[in-house]
């Protein structure tokens, strides 16, 4: 996983609450078995049918930070939603609230999902809509989002921050504690089911 | 200190706890299907890692499965590749798989409970958000992403952030004709699609106690539609009766020890929840959705709301967008909405009791002209049972299509899809834009409402027949 410390780039304002993962990537794109190449599925229905959709506007073509609305990424657990955003070029998503599984998936895979107060999101939308070239900085080191005169701290637990900044693989971290898992398994209830 | 059921089950599964780190939880059962697993197995292969506990892992084919001609090759090449990939992965890594044609094949959340693999007090995960279904047994069951699927395959554990607890209490008894689906749709409309975010919900109260196991699964299944991490119901005699005798249930002295333990899992008297919601069962009636998220629902007796009815600007805007997508006018009586498709099935409502309830309504009647009704059992065992009870004949005699087991029209990954502009009454769990097929419009309903709607051609309850 790529290390994440500070990212600066232009942003895409998505004024649409309750964007479920079926909208981020429709089910038909989930049939693939590869891990990359999901960018064509990102917001596929809206990109195809709505010329006014923000990603269809050339001034937002270069955006690498998505400024989303409340309850972004609700619904299906598909991690393809995170992959599609990353494959399209997004490094971070900012929103007042996220679907739980989506946020977990994003932070596992190195897409920084940052919770910001609604008022700050609104100010960011306004800044970016007024000037699409506005540079937004997501600073994981300082746990801060900056754009023009907007400076906003955000919360992220120390462990996740450390893991993202080091670009560490969660599985490798857990495998350091195999002894604990071995010990736990010895005291599980005897009646618990096995599948084979 | 008094503890909730969720806290007890969590504590029992902590493998490692360290300051500043998420708890590392042991996973008792890992359910796998073809859609969210290929990249996880590939990750193992690249890292040279085995599956730590294939004996706590089980796989089935469900999302891509065509519900007709299941023994023939899948026509869609991409779907076929995904199924073939699961078969190869299961074989390479020693995971037991129920492929199409196997009597134990079906939707992953129907298969686990019916085999007795889902039991009280367990931790259950699956790369599928409707894993919350298994909480009906008093298990702590989470939907996870593909990276986590790989993590569980490799380590049989998951680092999990802490959760909050919510009690949803449904007091009193349900009126005649009101079902578990109506309860959960009403709960989601009440707390919103984000209201459960970060919470494990425990459903309690007399109306919940009086529900069968399958009805409890319907409720827990849709916890994720309220944004919750999981949903749970305390195990009781109803639970024990359901589990006992199933192929993977404990037997003899093990059974007694297990039941003894399961009884201790109930939330202690005086335990505090972070949030509490109370509903009065007597005030519930058949509930349907009118919009494009499961929180946009209303009593069938009411009318399509106007965006102005919502004071919150975000809800106002969401209602406006939803009405445009659904092609509905504010003020239209929900009972006047015509559908062209009825879907009875899914991990929410594809179990034998759901089929019985719908068959009871539709028996001796006909599906309305111009309406297509798909009846899709949740598993091949459900189909077998339904046929033994003559339910398949009831559906076909009424003019419905009686299919093979799979996720079917719940999501557009297999041939069962809505065409653009088509409108369904569906017993599934999501009415998102395009969920049942590009441009399709979905009204979520209970099996009773689905059956009555099929007969009348407009959203209806059995009382309308």
């Amino acid at each position: 996983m790529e290390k994440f410390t500070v990212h600066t780039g232009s942003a895409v304002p998505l004024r649409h609450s309750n964007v479920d993962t079926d909208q981020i990537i429709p089910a038909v794109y989930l049939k693939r078995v590869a891990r990359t190449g999901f960018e064509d599925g990102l917001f596929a229905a809206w990109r195809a049918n709505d010329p006014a959709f923000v990603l269809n506007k050339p001034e937002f073509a270069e955006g690498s930070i998505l400024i989303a609305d409340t309850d972004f990424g609700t619904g299906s657990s598909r991690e393809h939603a995170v992959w599609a955003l990353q494959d399209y070029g997004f490094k971070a998503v900012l929103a007042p609230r996220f679907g739980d599984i989506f946020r977990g998936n994003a932070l596992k895979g190195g897409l920084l999902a940052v919770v910001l107060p609604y008022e700050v999101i609104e100010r960011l939308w306004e800044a970016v809509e007024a000037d699409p070239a506005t540079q937004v900085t997501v600073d994981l080191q300082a746990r801060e989002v900056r754009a023009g005169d907007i400076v906003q701290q955000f919360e992220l637990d120390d462990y996740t921050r450390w893991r993202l900044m080091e670009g560490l693989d969660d599985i490798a971290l857990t495998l350091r504690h195999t002894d604990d898992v071995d010990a736990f398994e010895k005291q599980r209830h005897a009646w618990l089911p096995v599948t084979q | 200190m008094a503890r909730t059921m969720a806290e007890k089950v969590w504590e029992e599964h902590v493998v490692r706890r360290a300051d500043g780190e998420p708890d590392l939880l042991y996973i008792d059962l890992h359910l796998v299907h073809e859609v969210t697993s290929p990249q996880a197995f590939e990750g193992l292969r690249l890292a040279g890692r085995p599956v730590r506990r294939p004996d706590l892992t089980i796989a089935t084919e469900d999302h891509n499965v065509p519900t007709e001609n299941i023994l023939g090759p899948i026509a869609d090449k991409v779907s076929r590749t995904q199924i073939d990939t699961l078969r190869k992965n299961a074989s390479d890594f020693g995971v037991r798989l129920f492929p199409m044609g196997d009597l134990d094949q079906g939707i992953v959340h129907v298969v686990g409970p019916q085999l007795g693999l889902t039991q009280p007090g367990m931790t259950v995960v699956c790369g599928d958000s409707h894993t919350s279904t298994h909480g009906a047994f008093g298990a702590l069951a989470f939907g996870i992403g593909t990276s986590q699927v790989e993590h569980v395959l490799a380590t049989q554990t998951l680092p999990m952030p802490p959760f909050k607890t919510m009690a949803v209490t449904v007091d009193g008894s349900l009126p005649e004709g009101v079902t578990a689906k109506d309860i959960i749709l009403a709960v989601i409309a009440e707390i919103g699609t984000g209201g459960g975010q970060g919470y494990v919900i425990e459903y309690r109260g007399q109306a919940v106690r009086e529900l069968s196991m399958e009805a409890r699964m319907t409720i827990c299944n849709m916890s994720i539609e309220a944004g919750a991490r999981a949903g749970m119901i305390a195990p009781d005699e109803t639970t024990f009766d359901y589990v006992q005798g199933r192929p993977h249930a404990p037997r003899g002295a093990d059974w007694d020890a297990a039941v003894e333990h399961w009884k201790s899992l109930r939330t202690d008297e005086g335990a505090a929840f972070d949030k509490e919601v109370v509903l009065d069962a007597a005030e519930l009636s058949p509930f349907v959705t009118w919009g494009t998220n499961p929180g946009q629902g209303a009593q069938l007796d009411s009318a399509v709301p106007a965006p102005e009815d919502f004071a919150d600007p975000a809800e106002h805007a969401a209602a406006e967008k939803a009405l445009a997508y659904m092609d509905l006018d504010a003020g239209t009586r929900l009972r006047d909405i015509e559908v062209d498709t009825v879907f009875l099935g899914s991990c929410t409502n594809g179990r034998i009791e759901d089929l019985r309830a719908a068959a009871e309504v539709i028996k001796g009647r006909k599906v309305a002209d111009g309406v297509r009704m798909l009846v899709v059992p949740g598993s091949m065992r459900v189909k077998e049972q339904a046929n033994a009870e003559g339910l398949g004949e009831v559906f076909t005699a009424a003019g419905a299509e009686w299919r093979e087991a799979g996720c079917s029209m719940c999501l557009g990954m297999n041939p069962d899809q809505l065409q653009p502009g088509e409108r369904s009454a569906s017993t599934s769990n999501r009415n998102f834009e395009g969920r049942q097929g590009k441009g399709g419009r979905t009204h979520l309903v209970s099996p009773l409402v689905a059956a009555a709607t099929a007969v009348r051609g407009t959203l209806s309850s059995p009382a309308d027949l």
Side-chain angles (χ1 to χ4, degrees), chain B residues 8 18 32 64 84 95 106 120 122 142 186 197 200 204-205 243 281 290 305 347 350 373 444 461:
Chain B
K8 292 182 189 182
V32 173
N64 280 274
D84 289 345
V95 171
M122 290 173 65
F142 302 107
Q197 210 231 319
V200 172
R204 18 180 28 206
V243 173
W290 49 265
C347 60
M373 183 184 194
L444 300 177
S461 73

Side-chain angles (χ1 to χ4, degrees), chain A residues 15-18 20 22-23 27-28 30-35 38 46 71 75-80 83 97-98 100-101 105 108 159 169-172 174-175 177-178 180-182 184-185 188-189 191-196, chain B residues 12 15-16 20-22 26 28 39 49 52-57 64 76 78-79 82 85 94 96 117 119 127-129 143-148 150-151 157 193-194 197-198 229 248 258 261 293 321 413 430 432-433 435:
Chain A
R15 288 182 183 260
H16 195 314
S17 66
N18 250 303
D20 55 76
D22 273 79
Q23 305 318 315
V28 69
L30 314 187
K31 298 178 184 181
R32 302 171 182 169
V33 297
R35 169 64 182 76
F38 288 97
W46 292 342
D71 291 332
S76 157
S77 67
R78 58 189 70 168
E79 196 160 324
H80 312 67
W83 301 335
R97 191 166 64 191
F98 290 94
D100 239 343
I101 303 177
N105 287 342
K108 276 255 177 192
Y159 179 81
D169 164 4
D170 238 350
I171 298 177
T174 297
L175 288 173
H177 306 298
T178 302
D180 293 327
V181 183
D182 291 342
F184 184 92
E185 283 181 334
R188 292 176 75 231
H189 297 297
W191 69 74
L192 283 163
V194 289
T195 57
Q196 308 188 338
Chain B
E12 268 190 22
V15 170
R16 182 172 183 277
E21 291 183 30
Y26 197 81
D28 291 322
Q39 296 85 357
R49 290 168 179 150
R52 181 182 172 93
R53 294 295 300 265
D55 61 330
L56 303 184
T57 311
N64 280 274
D76 179 337
V78 192
S79 283
Q82 196 162 61
T85 303
R96 188 169 170 206
L117 284 169
Q119 296 172 19
D128 190 287
S129 60
I144 58 177
T146 298
S147 299
Q148 291 171 303
E150 185 180 342
H151 195 284
T157 66
T193 53
Q197 210 231 319
R229 299 259 299 271
H248 292 271
H261 179 67
N293 73 56
K321 283 192 172 110
M413 281 199 78
R430 287 187 175 137
F432 298 152
E433 291 181 24
R435 170 80 178 182

Side-chain angles (χ1 to χ4, degrees), chain B residues 27-236:
Chain B
I27 303 304
D28 291 322
L29 177 65
H30 186 189
L31 304 156
V32 173
H33 62 82
E34 76 274 14
V35 181
T36 53
S37 66
Q39 296 85 357
F41 282 111
E42 192 56 22
L44 291 185
R45 217 172 254 123
L46 289 172
R49 290 168 179 150
V51 173
R52 181 182 172 93
R53 294 295 300 265
D55 61 330
L56 303 184
T57 311
I58 195 121
T60 185
E61 299 168 357
D62 55 9
H63 286 62
N64 280 274
V65 169
T67 57
E68 292 178 298
N69 306 322
I70 56 159
L71 294 178
I74 299 181
D76 179 337
K77 220 173 83 187
V78 192
S79 283
R80 191 164 74 224
T81 302
Q82 196 162 61
I83 294 283
D84 289 345
T85 303
L86 178 64
R87 291 178 184 180
K88 179 172 184 343
N89 286 333
S91 151
D92 286 358
F93 288 90
V95 171
R96 188 169 170 206
L97 166 71
F98 301 128
M100 284 182 282
D102 192 301
L103 196 47
D104 281 312
Q105 178 265 336
I107 307 175
V108 68
H109 308 306
V110 177
V111 169
Q114 95 189 352
L115 286 170
L117 284 169
T118 306
Q119 296 172 19
M122 290 173 65
T123 46
V124 180
V125 298
C126 174
D128 190 287
S129 60
H130 293 111
T131 309
S132 55
T133 310
H134 306 265
F137 292 81
L140 194 52
F142 302 107
I144 58 177
T146 298
S147 299
Q148 291 171 303
V149 169
E150 185 180 342
H151 195 284
V152 176
L153 288 171
T155 69
Q156 204 58 33
T157 66
L158 260 190
M160 294 291 274
F163 65 95
K164 295 177 283 184
T165 56
M166 184 191 301
V168 171
T169 306
V170 190
D171 286 327
S173 292
L174 285 178
E176 175 81 22
V178 181
T179 66
K181 185 66 165 281
D182 304 309
I183 294 181
I184 190 62
L185 285 174
V187 167
I188 299 164
E190 168 87 18
I191 68 176
T193 53
Q197 210 231 319
Y199 290 95
V200 172
I201 300 177
E202 181 177 334
Y203 302 95
R204 18 180 28 206
Q206 186 185 342
V208 174
R209 292 261 71 80
E210 289 173 359
L211 292 175
S212 69
M213 273 322 291
E214 298 194 353
R216 293 177 188 185
M217 284 188 247
T218 299
I219 291 194
C220 288
N221 171 275
M222 289 189 71
S223 301
I224 181 66
E225 291 357 304
R229 299 259 299 271
M232 298 178 91
I233 293 172
D236 58 12

Side-chain angles (χ1 to χ4, degrees), chain A residues 2-49:
Chain A
E2 228 175 285
K3 293 182 183 182
F4 193 118
T5 44
V6 181
H7 173 75
T8 299
S10 52
V12 178
L14 181 64
R15 288 182 183 260
H16 195 314
S17 66
N18 250 303
V19 175
D20 55 76
T21 53
D22 273 79
Q23 305 318 315
I24 299 174
I25 185 165
V28 69
Y29 292 92
L30 314 187
K31 298 178 184 181
R32 302 171 182 169
V33 297
R35 169 64 182 76
T36 53
F38 288 97
E39 64 276 7
D40 56 337
L42 183 68
F43 298 119
W46 292 342
R47 275 163 70 198
N49 302 324

Side-chain angles (χ1 to χ4, degrees), chain B residues 360-431:
Chain B
E360 179 77 20
V361 173
I362 217 160
K363 191 171 188 173
R365 298 189 162 103
K366 288 279 181 200
V367 173
D369 285 343
V371 174
R372 168 174 70 136
M373 183 184 194
L374 248 63
V375 184
V376 184
S379 72
M380 291 310 287
R381 295 274 180 201
V382 169
K383 175 152 191 170
E384 183 188 49
Q385 176 72 26
N387 278 336
E389 296 179 18
L391 306 185
E393 279 167 37
V394 170
F395 292 122
T396 44
E401 299 175 33
W402 177 229
R403 298 291 190 88
E404 311 290 343
C407 295
S408 185
M409 202 182 264
C410 179
L411 87 174
M413 281 199 78
N414 57 68
D416 303 341
Q417 299 196 23
L418 291 181
Q419 295 304 307
E422 281 189 334
R423 184 183 298 280
S424 76
S426 174
T427 65
S428 56
N429 39 57
R430 287 187 175 137
N431 50 344

